[in-house]
Amino acid sequence: MMEARAYIESGILELYVFGTLSESETQEVAQMAEKYPEIQDEIISIEKAVISLSYSMAPYLSAANYDRIKEQLIEKHTTKVVAMQPKSNAFSYIGWAAAVLLMAGIGWQYTQLDAAQNQVAFVRTENDTLNKELNAVKLTETQTKSLLAVVRDQDNTVVALGGQAVSPESAAKVYWNQNTQTVYVDAAGLPEPPEGFVYQVWSLKLDPLTPTSIGLLDDFKGNDSRLFAVSNTSGAEAFGITLEPAGGSVSPNLEQLYTLGKV
Amino acid sequence: MTQEELLPLILKKDDKAFTLMYDMYSKNLYGVIYNLINDREEAEDVLQEVFVKIWKNIESYNESKGRFFTWIINIARNTTIDKLRSKGFNNSRKNLSSDNFVHLLDDSNKLSHMIDSIGIQEFVKKLKPKCIQIINLLFFKGYTQQEASDELEIPLGTVKTQNRNCINDLRNFLQV
């Protein structure tokens, strides 16, 4: 159940209905929908919204369009047969035969051309799908690369933050680049914050204890890597993370101190 | 009639199936096409081409390719983009049109004969500007997450969730 809820909240189903996912992602969503009825229901609701939206965007469409299209489709599926009058003249037979051959030839070429055009259109669609696939892979690669670059930097001081009384199983890591003073927080070891709350990161001086807010872990659910950039800091002696009401607080609520670690 | 009921009829090429399909989806497809091409006559030509393609290639559709509605919307987008390319428009989707669907609403409004769509049009105009942009790119123009993130200069990781929030606003209004 939790898995289905998180999957729905990730926003992937909307893109599934829009048709902008790669082929493999589309298949994954289809499988999830088969497994969880609530995912299937959600897809149908999203689709209803999108159907209403696109419907309301159309200008007036005259009934003549319907006739034109129907005519075209029917034309392509039936051929009219014309009865031939018997003729005694041999030349006229040859003439008719030649005409029939010519017509048949043109007709055949037309179907060939039509088939080829159709094929081109579908190869394009396929190409498009493959491109999307490639983009999705590239995207993951870029994300992974930039994450690795952050984590691997030689100038980093890595501070492990351990779980505190309110949540002993929590953990986090701070990557503090001494050169640039930038700070990244790896929050993969923190539970999802409850609705209406947000994690706030503090850089601390210990004697006397002086906390300075260096940022919020905003959009926690949407950040798949759980790696967050927060504000620069200098001279920190420890880092702590507390749970605060949405928007953050001026000073930390120490009863909701999730993790803490000394530099 | 639902998609699930319609599909077997189309696959059989049942006589009534085309009419049913046209009634159900012509306005949706026309809305998407018009949003890309911004010209009613051109959009009508493309719509015709799209229905012929759907009808001829229906055998190649199956549910592993996603929803039927999604499949036909993709055909509509691709056909429109091909048409624009063949007319010598710039090769990139990004240069298609700087208008978004809300700007176009004012033009189409006068021509729209459907009373029931007026309500949603009014609502759509009140969507947050951020939502109009993101829905315009992802749904109407078929951008990937990466392309939308570049265009809107928002972090890639938040494209999906921001879009969901926007669609949720719409769903709250429509109560679906």
Side-chain angles (χ1 to χ4, degrees):
Chain A
M1 283 304 275
M2 277 309 288
E3 190 194 5
R5 202 62 232 157
Y7 199 70
I8 288 172
E9 291 301 333
S10 77
I12 195 171
L13 303 184
E14 281 78 1
L15 300 183
Y16 173 75
V17 174
F18 292 4
T20 55
L21 293 179
S22 70
E23 200 170 333
S24 55
E25 289 168 315
T26 299
Q27 276 169 6
E28 182 200 300
V29 175
Q31 280 164 11
M32 289 294 280
E34 220 168 284
K35 194 164 152 201
Y36 297 103
E38 62 263 50
I39 291 184
Q40 179 66 18
D41 291 347
E42 185 75 8
I43 288 172
I44 302 219
S45 296
I46 294 165
E47 189 179 85
K48 278 185 191 156
V50 171
I51 285 177
S52 298
L53 178 68
S54 50
Y55 185 94
S56 73
M57 292 305 135
Y60 172 72
L61 186 58
S62 87
N65 281 285
Y66 168 80
D67 297 330
R68 270 167 64 201
I69 299 172
K70 183 128 200 207
E71 211 171 274
Q72 220 197 343
L73 289 177
I74 290 168
E75 232 172 55
K76 292 204 167 142
H77 287 284
T78 60
T79 350
K80 284 194 177 133
V81 181
V82 179
M84 284 172 64
Q85 295 293 320
K87 287 269 161 88
S88 51
N89 190 323
F91 281 111
S92 87
Y93 271 122
I94 293 165
W96 276 111
V100 167
L101 272 177
L102 183 65
M103 289 299 284
I106 290 171
W108 183 76
Q109 283 196 326
Y110 180 74
T111 54
Q112 290 295 305
L113 176 67
D114 205 41
Q117 276 173 347
N118 237 344
Q119 211 162 351
V120 169
F122 267 71
V123 168
R124 269 206 199 125
T125 311
E126 210 163 294
N127 202 351
D128 200 52
T129 319
L130 286 175
N131 266 334
K132 278 183 198 158
E133 191 102 8
L134 181 65
N135 280 336
V137 173
K138 273 192 193 153
L139 174 72
T140 326
E141 201 207 344
T142 334
Q143 283 176 320
T144 314
K145 269 192 189 153
S146 54
L147 292 185
L148 265 179
V150 166
V151 170
R152 274 195 180 147
D153 199 306
Q154 294 295 335
D155 293 322
N156 275 341
T157 301
V158 183
V159 185
L161 311 187
Q164 301 297 307
V166 60
S167 175
E169 70 284 1
S170 286
K173 265 196 184 127
V174 166
Y175 295 91
W176 181 20
N177 191 312
Q178 296 291 357
N179 222 358
T180 59
Q181 300 295 347
T182 50
V183 180
Y184 282 86
V185 179
D186 174 5
L190 289 175
E192 255 184 36
E195 198 73 26
F197 287 86
V198 65
Y199 289 115
Q200 190 164 6
V201 186
W202 307 87
S203 101
L204 306 166
K205 293 234 166 100
L206 294 177
D207 197 21
L209 185 64
T210 324
T212 312
S213 172
I214 54 172
L216 303 176
L217 306 187
D218 267 329
D219 192 26
F220 196 86
K221 280 185 214 163
N223 184 334
D224 290 337
S225 68
R226 299 282 200 262
L227 192 66
F228 297 85
V230 288
S231 307
N232 297 3
T233 185
S234 59
E237 291 166 354
F239 290 96
I241 300 178
T242 59
L243 188 67
E244 305 289 342
S249 305
V250 181
S251 55
N253 174 2
L254 292 173
E255 278 163 28
Q256 291 294 320
L257 179 65
Y258 271 60
T259 60
L260 181 67
K262 270 194 188 178
V263 175
Chain B
M1 158 121 350
T2 67
Q3 248 174 81
E4 285 67 25
E5 292 161 351
L6 174 66
L7 208 50
L9 297 180
I10 300 182
L11 283 169
K12 272 192 286 177
K13 303 222 164 158
D14 183 283
D15 273 354
K16 279 173 292 184
F18 171 74
T19 308
L20 288 167
M21 179 173 79
Y22 186 89
D23 284 348
M24 266 176 87
Y25 297 120
S26 55
K27 292 269 291 180
N28 305 96
L29 298 173
Y30 191 51
V32 169
I33 297 165
Y34 177 70
N35 190 57
L36 284 168
I37 213 163
N38 299 3
D39 179 298
R40 288 181 56 209
E41 269 180 42
E42 296 272 14
E44 284 177 9
D45 286 348
V46 174
L47 181 68
Q48 183 171 340
E49 219 176 295
V50 167
F51 269 110
V52 172
K53 272 189 197 166
I54 294 172
W55 199 247
K56 280 194 180 164
N57 295 292
I58 189 71
E59 283 86 3
S60 76
Y61 169 75
N62 61 61
E63 288 186 2
S64 74
K65 294 191 173 168
R67 303 278 300 163
F68 180 67
F69 176 72
T70 305
W71 186 71
I72 62 177
I73 287 289
N74 265 333
I75 292 180
R77 280 198 210 106
N78 289 335
T79 309
T80 316
I81 289 163
D82 278 353
K83 174 86 162 191
L84 287 169
R85 278 182 191 150
S86 74
K87 297 216 154 226
F89 283 72
N90 195 303
N91 214 2
S92 158
R93 249 184 306 182
K94 297 196 170 90
N95 296 323
L96 286 187
S97 138
S98 55
D99 275 342
N100 65 46
F101 59 97
V102 174
H103 294 145
L104 294 174
L105 267 185
D106 290 320
D107 303 334
S108 73
N109 221 351
K110 299 166 204 136
L111 304 162
S112 178
H113 64 314
M114 302 305 293
I115 309 295
D116 57 344
S117 64
I118 303 287
I120 177 169
Q121 289 182 354
E122 287 310 309
F123 172 76
V124 161
K125 286 186 196 165
K126 287 186 207 123
L127 279 174
K128 299 180 193 109
K130 184 186 83 180
C131 285
I132 292 170
Q133 285 182 317
I134 204 164
I135 294 175
N136 191 46
L137 294 185
L138 289 173
F139 174 65
F140 284 100
K141 299 203 167 148
Y143 273 37
T144 63
Q145 290 178 73
Q146 178 70 65
E147 289 169 331
S149 152
D150 292 345
E151 174 92 12
L152 301 175
E153 295 175 347
I154 57 175
L156 187 58
T158 67
V159 173
K160 264 191 304 195
T161 41
Q162 285 199 21
N163 175 56
R164 173 165 172 84
N165 292 338
C166 295
I167 293 293
N168 278 347
D169 288 347
L170 186 64
R171 283 172 60 187
N172 284 336
F173 169 75
L174 295 167
Q175 305 193 333
V176 293

